[in-house]
Amino acid sequence: MEFAELIKTPRADNVVLHRPFHPAVEGTLCLTGHHLILSSRRHDNAEELWLLHSNIDSIEKRFVGSLGTIIIKCKDLRIIQLDIPGMEECLNIASSIEALSTLDSVTLMYPFFYRPMFEVVEDGWHSFLPEREFELLSSVTSDWRLSYVNKEFSVCPSYPPIVTVPKSIDDEALRKVATFRHGGRFPVLSYYHKKNGMVMMRSSQPLTGTNGRRCKEDEKLINATLRAGKRGYIIDTRSLNVAQQARAKGGGFEQEVHYPQWRRIHKSIERYNILQESLIKLVEACNDQSHNMDRWLSKLEASNWLTHIKEILTAACLAAQCIDREGASVLVHGTEGTDSTLQVTSLAQIILDPRCRTIHGFQSLVEREWLQAGHPFQQRCAQSAYSNSKQKWEAPVFLLFLDCVWQILRQFPCSFEFSEHFLIMLFEHAYASQFGTFLGNNENERCKLKLPQKTMSLWSWVNRPPELSRFKNPLFEANSLVIWPSVAPQSLQLWEGVFLRWNRSSKFLDEAYEEMINIIEYNRELQAKVNALRRQLAELETDDGMQESP
Amino acid sequence: MEHIRTPKVENVRFIDRISSRKAALGTLYLTATHVIFVENVSETRKETWILHSQISSIEKQATTATGCPLLIRCKNFQIIQLIIPQERDCHDVYISLIRLTRPVKYEELYCFSFNPKLDKEEREEGWKLVDLNEEYNRMGIPNNYWQISDVNREYGVCDSYPTEVYVPRSATAHIIVGSSKFRSRRRFPALSYYCKDNHASICRSSQPLSGFSARCLEDEQMLQAIRKANPGSDFIYVVDTRPKLNAMANRAAGKGYENEDNYSNIKFQFIGIENIHVMRNSLQKMLEVCELRSPSMSDFLWGLENSGWLKHIKAIMDAGIFIAKAVAEEGVSVLVHCSDGWDRTAQVCSVASLLLDPYYRTLKGFMVLIEKDWVSFGHKFNHRYGNLDGDPKEISPVIDQFIECVWQLMEQFPCAFEFNERFLIHIQHHIYSCQFGNFLCNSQKERQELKIQERTYSLWAHLWKNRVDYMNPLYRADHGQTQETLHPQTAPCNFLYKFWSGMYNRFEKGMHPRQSVIDYLMAVKEETQQLEEELEVLEERLSNLKKVQVNNNKVKNMQQDRNKALRLSASNNSIANTPQEYSNNLKSFPSRSPSQGDEEDSALILTQDNLKSSDPDLSATSDQESGVEDLNCRSPSGGCLPSEDSGKDPDSDEAVFLTA
């Protein structure tokens, strides 16, 4: 196999593994095509490291005499150190790790080789089909239809083959609108608010350019989502300034004159490299072992991470507010409509729709609003906080979304069916996974890669009962209401579960979590026992009663 | 009463929190002890009571078209604004409040008129709840090394110390008196905590009057005696909690710190906690940040850093960690002092005790800890918390910082404390409220002269009576982490010091988590207990079917009550969940449909309020529930009220920011 060429030293003995809060472990290091494995060769096999090469963000090597040290920084933010005796072995291993963690071809990635050890109950690749979603929609409204205009990915390469559009707009009009929107991303339905029939649409920016080009079909399409006499909001995720500048490059925004029924609101959400730099700075601050409080707070502030969280949440709350409180429909877009747009539309749904706060509903949301909506996972998650190379396309857009969900979860700890662990798991798998779900940048690429045929879906694994139970929130009590999070700085916190995860012992917090589960489970057990006894008694007593009654 | 110029003003607008822009119309009353505002809304007649002793400042603001605003800031971090229509009334209220909030005699304080309707015996029992002799016995004292000394009988040696002081057996009265003469305000080294497992102790004192070269044989003997009382160790730490510069500056005034050359077998250590003036300013700065209207994240974080507050909290915590480590791990005794030994010393000794001894992490133990390290050793409650009108430069949030240290520890060790956040908040509240006699005056001597125990009630008894509300459901007495010394991490990235919005934005309900895990778990535990009882009953009935036939109905009713209780505890505390200020430029369309308000208002959400009205005195007299009730009655379907017309949405927050 071709990986063999990349592995000059497949194993090394007497390697010492150092991890924070764990005693050092000595063992044998093995390199395979996709994993770095350290085994202490103890009988209990307790001390082992299995690390996906694709999880490795960067490595550093150091030598003291002939003892080499490799510091491995992972995309899940953990940092580990391997002491490898022998300079040549160490160099070989380092260069193998480097090569194996930066494979060019997607088809060489682990998901294409992974063979699950579990029985698939439900194939995750078919768990969230647009048709099924549409069935739910058709039960409450008949204003919408499924369009197959993009089935060859020819109208919009980053859209899925099937999209939901207003019934009154035909495919021909959609084709025209696509030419008027950046990347062909014409407005499509994102969310239907059952309570009042208002909708949220998403798209990319209109290509108005400097001379104010307009497109009648575009106007007709988005007006078709308004009820007679009603008006809507366009939430542009760029500042007015940035939106105006976009015109010079052929982009732009909806002008009032052509869209008189719409009010435009600009909410600035940062993009790309600014977000990536923010992540790098935040993680650096979290890894700073200095005991200086001023330094910590100033680094936390300078990273701007929480500022981004606040901005994204605010825009999402605003969208939700327009829909639920103002009773208005909303169109959300930024430039491409693949990043900040999706953060806003998906978070607004978390706020508005209790279904999105269940495990299955949240998966469906990620599937609809991120995967099928064409968020370029492969580009965005190619590197994480330790990347040295400054490539333009990496950005923790999805991680920011998960962080925002965590913030809402923290404020409404009983309203989500899933726990923080579920969000952390999604973060890990978005960056490195044995499953094919987050490979590729859109449905088009996933189709070409034949991912459903060749790889396993993350959902196939997650939705097995033993896994599900790990991700369930013990405090969950179904809450059918809209939940309005606070976006005040006092209410937003650093997500310790991700950013301080490897820097401290979580023993006490874990114990507290276990205690919480114990309390609740014991209650349920008792409940069951009492109910059983009551039933038993009732039966006996009726018998009794019958005997006694004349 | 003679200070009240106008006891009642009508048509006053009342705004009860920073973030709210909604004013309630009502009547303002001034009484000898409270400011009371009663809303005009006839169904609710919501009342807000604010104790004069809680008011920290009153500010007259520029008159506007609607009237004259008065801004009232409270020591429990509540901020309210009153808009009084007539300038003259406003002035009268202002002048009256200025006088009423600055009592000159203890007798003016609320505790002397507060009557919880307990008889004399109950009151006396209440004061006996916390007994320090019992506490020293619990530590294992007196023993071969430590004894109680009567040297301070009649406060003859030190008037800010208690009469009963624990000292090493080898410290004779001569040594103690000699040492006291060499210490600021004669606060000689005395025992604060003793670890019976390894004989290491924490002692406390004030700074020595060493100047540049003075020494005192008795003081040196005193420290020797402390060392000898710990046979396992050949030295003691002397911890000066001040920054080195401050301590050095004190030498010029004939005070200072111990010279290692003069004392045999001591290791001297500076810790660097700032003085009360720095702390007062720091809190002030942090509160300014809390008061910002829609601050950006940077404004907030920058302001928090700039206030230095968390840095100071960390300094106190680090000092406590150092001492706990010396005692638990090295088995070395520690003498702690600052300048007078009643502020930083109290903070640090109590943090160290809390880390070392799981008893202090229980409800009762925490009361004992405050009684021991703060009340008995003469922490100047009156001066620090401004109970009587006095020098504003004496005011400083010293015990507030200790309470916050405890909260920060609770966040890191969620199973280690028997009590919850609410307990801390209520203690803080009552340190300022003067509703109970515990924290009056500056010393035990003054309290005795005032006959506090005969004339007022004890907070501890009150809290103990309501202890169910203060329990941490996650606390496990048999857990490893509750039984051992706590070892917190010290780097900020390991020990995440957080801004305590539950305290400093206590009345901004919208900022806090809308569902309380603690309250939820308490409700579950309560139900569990009832289930256990029922299980027993059921099992008995099963085994004894015929006999219980009679009780049938009774049990059924009990069960219904149970279910009701849980449902109520899960939903009764609900506050309306409303959108906040998400946009400055979202404008309502003129054509906004009046029918948009829905029958079922989805904005109302089952929530649990952080501070249940579990403490009847608190909710009745200081209205800390105002935010909640307010929201409840505003939400169209909030509770049992029939759904009102939500078209003219009473949720003014939203209405206002939509038209802003």
Side-chain angles (χ1 to χ4, degrees):
Chain A
M1 212 171 87
E2 49 216 301
F3 295 122
E5 296 162 21
L6 298 173
I7 305 171
K8 286 188 205 114
T9 302
R11 59 174 278 180
D13 290 320
N14 305 321
V15 173
V16 181
L17 166 70
H18 300 272
R19 286 170 295 187
F21 301 105
H22 289 271
V25 187
E26 188 179 322
T28 302
L29 181 75
C30 296
L31 283 185
T32 74
H34 294 103
H35 286 98
L36 184 150
I37 302 157
L38 186 114
S39 159
S40 65
R41 300 233 172 144
R42 288 207 200 136
H43 287 298
D44 54 8
N45 266 348
E47 300 289 355
E48 279 204 345
L49 174 75
W50 277 77
L51 189 66
L52 262 180
H53 292 316
S54 56
N55 191 0
I56 296 173
D57 209 20
S58 76
I59 70 165
E60 289 162 22
K61 40 188 187 286
R62 279 202 304 256
F63 290 94
V64 179
S66 68
L67 179 74
T69 292
I70 302 178
I71 293 168
I72 297 177
K73 300 184 174 181
C74 302
K75 290 173 188 167
D76 61 16
L77 310 182
R78 126 180 70 158
I79 299 179
I80 57 173
Q81 181 186 325
L82 295 169
D83 295 341
I84 302 169
M87 189 180 284
E88 198 191 329
E89 284 86 350
C90 185
L91 279 172
N92 284 345
I93 288 168
S95 68
S96 299
I97 295 175
E98 219 148 6
L100 291 166
S101 62
T102 52
L103 295 173
D104 289 333
S105 167
V106 183
T107 53
L108 292 178
M109 303 290 268
Y110 187 51
F112 287 93
F113 299 83
Y114 171 70
R115 291 292 161 264
M117 303 292 284
F118 58 86
E119 195 193 338
V120 177
V121 185
E122 185 195 352
D123 185 354
W125 289 114
H126 306 298
S127 294
F128 306 97
L129 298 177
E131 289 91 342
R132 206 173 306 160
E133 196 67 28
F134 185 73
E135 270 171 40
L136 292 174
L137 180 67
S138 340
S139 66
V140 285
T141 172
S142 55
D143 296 341
W144 299 82
R145 69 180 183 96
L146 284 182
S147 165
Y148 298 83
V149 67
N150 197 40
K151 70 171 182 288
E152 307 295 333
F153 302 105
S154 53
V155 176
C156 173
S158 63
Y159 266 0
I162 310 171
V163 291
T164 310
V165 295
K167 202 172 214 171
S168 57
I169 306 296
D170 62 21
D171 283 358
E172 204 39 54
L174 292 179
R175 280 197 191 89
K176 281 190 185 146
V177 175
T179 62
F180 181 65
R181 292 274 171 179
H182 191 119
R185 294 175 68 93
F186 54 87
V188 295
L189 182 74
S190 161
Y191 171 68
Y192 180 88
H193 197 45
K194 281 196 200 104
K195 196 177 110 186
N196 59 10
M198 294 302 130
V199 297
M200 182 161 55
M201 315 261 296
R202 55 175 158 76
S203 70
S204 59
Q205 64 177 344
L207 302 175
T208 57
T210 39
N211 47 11
R213 199 159 76 94
R214 65 188 284 198
C215 170
K216 284 272 167 57
E217 288 78 8
D218 189 76
E219 293 157 24
K220 195 174 155 213
L221 193 165
I222 72 166
N223 286 339
T225 68
L226 294 177
R227 295 204 189 136
K230 288 269 230 168
R231 300 213 266 181
Y233 289 96
I234 294 171
I235 295 178
D236 193 324
T237 62
R238 304 162 295 178
S239 67
L240 178 60
N241 205 7
V242 171
Q244 279 167 342
Q245 282 163 5
R247 289 190 296 195
K249 291 183 196 153
F253 52 86
E254 295 82 356
Q255 308 247 290
E256 281 87 351
V257 277
H258 301 145
Y259 298 85
Q261 286 164 282
W262 294 82
R263 173 179 286 280
R264 213 176 59 247
I265 301 170
H266 291 274
K267 278 276 153 191
S268 168
I269 296 177
E270 290 295 351
R271 303 153 31 93
Y272 301 146
N273 55 327
I274 291 177
L275 300 180
Q276 186 70 7
E277 273 164 32
S278 173
L279 174 66
I280 291 170
K281 280 188 193 163
L282 175 69
V283 171
E284 199 210 306
C286 294
N287 286 334
D288 183 346
Q289 294 292 323
S290 131
H291 287 217
N292 185 321
M293 179 62 75
D294 285 349
R295 187 156 136 189
W296 158 251
L297 285 173
S298 122
K299 281 184 154 189
L300 180 65
E301 194 262 319
S303 78
N304 272 330
W305 183 264
L306 289 169
T307 300
H308 302 314
I309 296 288
K310 182 168 156 59
E311 278 166 1
I312 296 164
L313 268 178
T314 305
C317 289
L318 180 69
Q321 193 189 342
C322 289
I323 294 170
D324 186 67
R325 288 308 183 93
E326 286 296 291
S329 286
V330 169
L331 168 68
V332 184
H333 71 72
T335 304
E336 289 91 347
T338 53
D339 295 283
S340 55
T341 304
L342 306 182
Q343 288 172 329
V344 172
T345 57
S346 52
L347 286 167
Q349 292 179 56
I350 301 259
I351 293 165
L352 293 169
D353 187 356
R355 198 173 61 117
C356 294
R357 297 174 226 140
T358 64
I359 292 189
H360 192 265
F362 191 76
Q363 293 172 19
S364 165
L365 182 77
V366 169
E367 187 71 34
R368 276 182 286 124
E369 292 298 300
W370 290 88
L371 291 160
Q372 290 168 14
H375 174 67
F377 276 97
Q378 198 169 311
Q379 287 180 347
R380 297 289 180 264
C381 301
Q383 297 257 256
S384 170
Y386 303 117
S387 57
N388 302 316
S389 59
K390 287 263 190 297
Q391 279 174 315
K392 199 186 162 194
W393 304 114
E394 281 98 33
V397 177
F398 188 62
L399 176 57
L400 278 162
F401 159 70
L402 295 175
D403 195 333
C404 289
V405 176
W406 178 79
Q407 304 284 352
I408 306 177
L409 169 62
R410 205 189 69 81
Q411 294 187 27
F412 295 89
C414 307
S415 297
F416 288 79
E417 194 193 3
F418 50 87
S419 67
E420 176 186 13
H421 301 119
F422 184 62
L423 300 173
I424 297 172
M425 180 277 294
L426 288 175
F427 158 61
E428 289 172 340
H429 283 276
Y431 280 84
S433 177
Q434 65 269 44
F435 303 107
T437 299
F438 292 107
L439 290 182
N441 290 308
N442 48 51
E443 287 294 278
N444 190 1
E445 289 186 22
R446 277 185 275 272
C447 227
K448 283 185 187 144
L449 288 167
K450 297 199 168 57
L451 291 180
Q453 294 81 38
K454 294 188 168 172
T455 73
M456 178 64 55
S457 163
L458 173 65
W459 313 131
S460 306
W461 172 71
V462 168
N463 288 324
R464 299 169 60 251
E467 306 304 330
L468 274 182
S469 66
R470 288 199 299 136
F471 300 128
K472 279 209 168 127
N473 175 9
L475 301 171
F476 178 58
E477 299 265 341
N479 170 4
S480 61
L481 306 171
V482 176
I483 54 176
W484 298 107
S486 163
V487 296
Q490 289 95 320
S491 309
L492 304 177
Q493 284 189 2
L494 178 72
W495 191 5
E496 299 169 59
V498 164
F499 297 108
L500 300 182
R501 183 178 177 191
W502 310 103
N503 295 340
R504 57 158 194 194
S505 157
S506 62
K507 187 177 152 222
F508 301 111
L509 301 178
D510 294 345
E511 277 180 18
Y513 191 76
E514 268 166 39
E515 185 58 34
M516 196 167 84
I517 293 177
N518 289 343
I519 290 171
I520 289 165
E521 278 181 354
Y522 178 56
N523 177 277
R524 285 190 188 139
E525 257 170 52
L526 276 182
Q527 195 97 57
K529 258 190 214 164
V530 165
N531 283 341
L533 278 186
R534 255 190 243 154
R535 229 173 295 132
Q536 213 177 327
L537 258 179
E539 278 164 21
L540 284 172
E541 277 169 350
T542 12
D543 294 351
D544 225 31
M546 271 159 51
Q547 283 165 13
E548 279 181 18
S549 60
Chain B
M1 282 312 240
E2 72 270 27
H3 309 303
I4 300 170
R5 290 184 170 209
T6 171
K8 178 178 170 189
V9 186
E10 283 177 348
N11 293 320
V12 172
R13 287 170 181 279
F14 174 93
I15 302 170
D16 75 339
R17 55 202 170 115
I18 318 157
S19 62
S20 169
R21 301 188 190 172
K22 180 204 173 193
L25 197 65
T27 307
L28 183 76
Y29 298 90
L30 295 188
T31 75
T33 50
H34 288 87
V35 179
I36 306 162
F37 178 81
V38 184
E39 264 183 46
N40 281 352
V41 183
S42 54
E43 309 93 84
T44 51
R45 305 286 294 171
K46 194 171 90 68
E47 294 176 11
T48 304
W49 292 53
I50 292 164
L51 263 173
H52 295 327
S53 51
Q54 281 291 0
I55 295 177
S56 64
S57 77
I58 311 147
E59 199 182 305
K60 246 173 110 177
Q61 298 176 313
T63 306
T64 64
T66 46
C68 310
L70 270 188
L71 189 70
I72 299 178
R73 289 193 176 82
C74 299
K75 295 168 182 173
N76 58 6
F77 313 111
Q78 185 170 22
I79 297 176
I80 57 170
Q81 196 182 29
L82 299 171
I83 301 169
I84 299 170
Q86 298 296 320
E87 162 78 47
R88 207 190 57 232
D89 288 336
C90 179
H91 186 72
D92 283 348
V93 170
Y94 176 74
I95 295 293
S96 311
L97 280 180
I98 288 283
R99 175 58 189 87
L100 290 167
T101 59
R102 290 177 193 165
V104 291
K105 296 197 305 280
Y106 282 117
E107 280 73 10
E108 292 177 45
L109 293 174
Y110 184 43
C111 56
F112 290 100
S113 56
F114 172 65
N115 183 0
K117 309 220 162 47
L118 296 178
D119 60 35
K120 185 163 167 276
E121 266 164 40
E122 284 171 302
R123 166 156 68 193
E124 281 168 6
E125 277 306 303
W127 282 109
K128 282 183 200 150
L129 183 70
V130 172
D131 179 341
L132 287 185
N133 275 327
E134 217 169 78
E135 167 57 9
Y136 284 96
N137 289 340
R138 188 194 66 87
M139 290 185 208
I141 282 175
N143 64 6
N144 287 338
Y145 304 107
W146 296 89
Q147 63 180 4
I148 191 164
S149 163
D150 63 353
V151 70
N152 201 35
R153 200 180 41 222
E154 313 287 319
Y155 305 100
V157 177
C158 173
D159 60 2
S160 61
Y161 263 18
T163 46
E164 295 179 339
V165 186
Y166 292 82
V167 292
R169 269 192 194 276
S170 61
T172 60
H174 172 73
I175 291 176
I176 297 170
V177 172
S179 166
S180 79
K181 288 179 179 154
F182 189 64
R183 296 269 166 187
S184 272
R185 298 176 196 274
R186 312 193 75 184
R187 291 170 66 90
F188 56 89
L191 184 73
S192 162
Y193 180 71
Y194 172 75
C195 176
K196 61 176 171 242
D197 298 339
N198 62 7
H199 305 299
S201 65
I202 303 173
C203 293
R204 55 184 289 173
S205 70
S206 60
Q207 64 186 339
L209 303 176
S210 53
F212 290 99
S213 59
R215 49 192 294 193
C216 166
L217 183 64
E218 290 86 355
D219 194 59
E220 290 160 26
Q221 287 171 333
M222 186 76 196
L223 268 61
Q224 279 292 3
I226 292 172
R227 184 185 63 77
K228 282 187 204 145
N230 178 6
S233 165
D234 49 15
F235 71 96
I236 65 168
Y237 282 111
V238 175
V239 171
D240 188 328
T241 57
R242 298 169 293 181
K244 190 174 181 183
L245 263 179
N246 302 20
M248 284 169 73
N250 262 300
R251 289 199 299 190
K255 301 165 189 170
Y257 53 92
E258 291 82 356
N259 182 340
E260 276 189 351
D261 299 336
N262 297 342
Y263 293 82
S264 45
N265 309 315
I266 68 162
K267 284 193 183 168
F268 185 83
Q269 178 89 31
F270 284 114
I271 292 263
I273 301 172
E274 297 291 349
N275 64 28
I276 58 167
H277 311 295
V278 174
M279 299 308 191
R280 178 177 59 246
N281 292 335
S282 173
L283 177 65
Q284 184 53 40
K285 279 187 188 165
M286 185 174 74
L287 292 179
E288 280 164 21
V289 176
C290 297
E291 280 184 46
L292 291 175
R293 273 192 186 210
S294 9
S296 74
M297 201 74 217
S298 289
D299 292 341
F300 177 74
L301 286 176
W302 190 85
L304 189 59
E305 181 198 339
N306 190 45
S307 76
W309 182 257
L310 288 177
K311 181 174 72 184
H312 300 314
I313 296 294
K314 177 170 156 41
I316 296 163
M317 191 81 86
D318 286 349
I321 294 170
F322 174 86
I323 293 164
K325 217 175 138 193
V327 169
E329 290 174 25
E330 299 177 56
V332 177
S333 295
V334 185
L335 171 66
V336 186
H337 69 73
C338 44
S339 296
D340 291 317
W342 51 40
D343 293 316
R344 287 169 273 203
T345 299
Q347 290 175 328
V348 165
C349 287
S350 48
V351 168
S353 301
L354 194 76
L355 293 172
L356 283 166
D357 195 332
Y359 176 64
Y360 298 124
R361 306 194 288 261
T362 64
L363 209 71
K364 178 79 181 296
F366 192 70
M367 300 173 183
V368 169
L369 182 66
I370 290 184
E371 198 67 28
K372 167 172 81 79
D373 278 327
W374 297 82
V375 177
S376 86
F377 272 106
H379 175 65
K380 301 199 294 173
F381 281 95
N382 175 38
H383 285 166
R384 293 294 172 262
Y385 312 114
N387 297 340
L388 293 188
D389 191 25
D391 181 0
K393 287 208 163 57
E394 282 281 328
I395 292 175
S396 187
V398 181
I399 201 167
D400 302 62
Q401 290 184 312
F402 165 64
I403 290 173
E404 176 165 342
C405 285
V406 181
W407 178 79
Q408 300 280 1
L409 283 169
M410 281 163 58
E411 288 286 292
Q412 301 292 319
F413 300 94
C415 303
F417 292 83
E418 189 189 22
F419 47 85
N420 59 27
E421 180 185 19
R422 189 182 295 133
F423 185 58
L424 298 180
I425 290 173
H426 285 192
I427 290 176
Q428 192 272 354
H429 179 95
H430 284 299
I431 281 167
Y432 291 92
S433 76
C434 301
Q435 186 174 336
F436 298 92
N438 304 59
F439 308 122
L440 242 49
C441 307
N442 292 320
S443 65
Q444 198 192 69
K445 182 168 177 259
E446 286 182 40
R447 277 187 294 275
Q448 232 155 44
E449 284 164 4
L450 262 181
K451 299 196 179 3
I452 289 294
Q453 301 209 354
E454 289 152 49
R455 300 166 70 193
T456 73
Y457 295 85
S458 168
L459 171 66
W460 304 135
H462 171 76
L463 294 175
W464 186 249
K465 199 177 78 199
N466 297 305
R467 59 187 175 278
V468 189
D469 297 325
Y470 302 122
M471 289 294 181
N472 170 15
L474 296 173
Y475 175 69
R476 286 268 309 263
D478 53 347
H479 248 208
Q481 55 168 300
T482 58
Q483 282 314 308
E484 294 158 11
T485 301
L486 301 182
H487 300 281
Q489 306 271 339
T490 52
C493 71
N494 299 325
F495 186 132
L496 187 62
Y497 286 87
K498 297 174 194 162
F499 169 76
W500 189 8
S501 66
M503 177 64 91
Y504 305 106
N505 284 116
R506 179 178 153 193
F507 291 88
E508 303 282 310
K509 299 286 178 196
M511 277 183 192
H512 306 152
R514 306 316 167 72
Q515 296 172 316
S516 156
V517 175
I518 294 290
D519 287 343
Y520 178 84
L521 290 177
M522 277 319 282
V524 170
K525 274 194 136 172
E526 205 180 307
E527 193 202 44
T528 299
Q529 206 185 345
Q530 289 165 337
L531 284 170
E532 274 171 343
E533 284 162 21
E534 189 185 359
L535 198 65
E536 225 168 88
V537 173
L538 286 174
E539 272 165 355
E540 205 184 299
R541 280 178 58 188
L542 258 182
S543 65
N544 199 358
L545 188 61
K546 294 232 162 108
K547 259 194 223 161
V548 272
Q549 194 90 34
V550 193
N551 288 334
N552 194 7
N553 291 332
K554 193 181 141 208
V555 174
K556 262 185 193 150
N557 289 341
M558 265 171 65
Q559 182 56 30
Q560 277 164 0
D561 286 349
R562 255 157 239 166
N563 290 338
K564 208 167 117 200
L566 186 68
R567 256 203 319 278
L568 281 180
S569 51
S571 65
N572 212 21
N573 310 315
S574 65
I575 54 169
N577 171 38
T578 53
Q580 315 223 338
E581 183 167 344
Y582 300 128
S583 170
N584 296 321
N585 56 358
L586 174 60
K587 289 187 186 159
S588 192
F589 288 134
S591 64
R592 183 177 164 194
S593 157
S595 67
Q596 56 118 5
D598 299 88
E599 290 307 305
E600 39 118 26
D601 190 328
S602 63
L604 180 80
I605 171 145
L606 288 183
T607 52
Q608 280 137 348
D609 151 43
N610 261 11
L611 283 164
K612 297 202 293 187
S613 54
S614 52
D615 188 341
D617 298 318
L618 275 180
S619 55
T621 57
S622 64
D623 190 63
Q624 50 177 316
E625 296 314 299
S626 56
V628 181
E629 285 171 34
D630 186 18
L631 285 162
N632 258 340
C633 63
R634 274 160 49 188
S635 60
S637 58
C640 49
L641 291 174
S643 176
E644 277 182 56
D645 174 16
S646 53
K648 48 164 191 176
D649 194 332
D651 178 29
S652 65
D653 277 359
E654 184 200 16
V656 174
F657 66 72
L658 286 174
T659 49

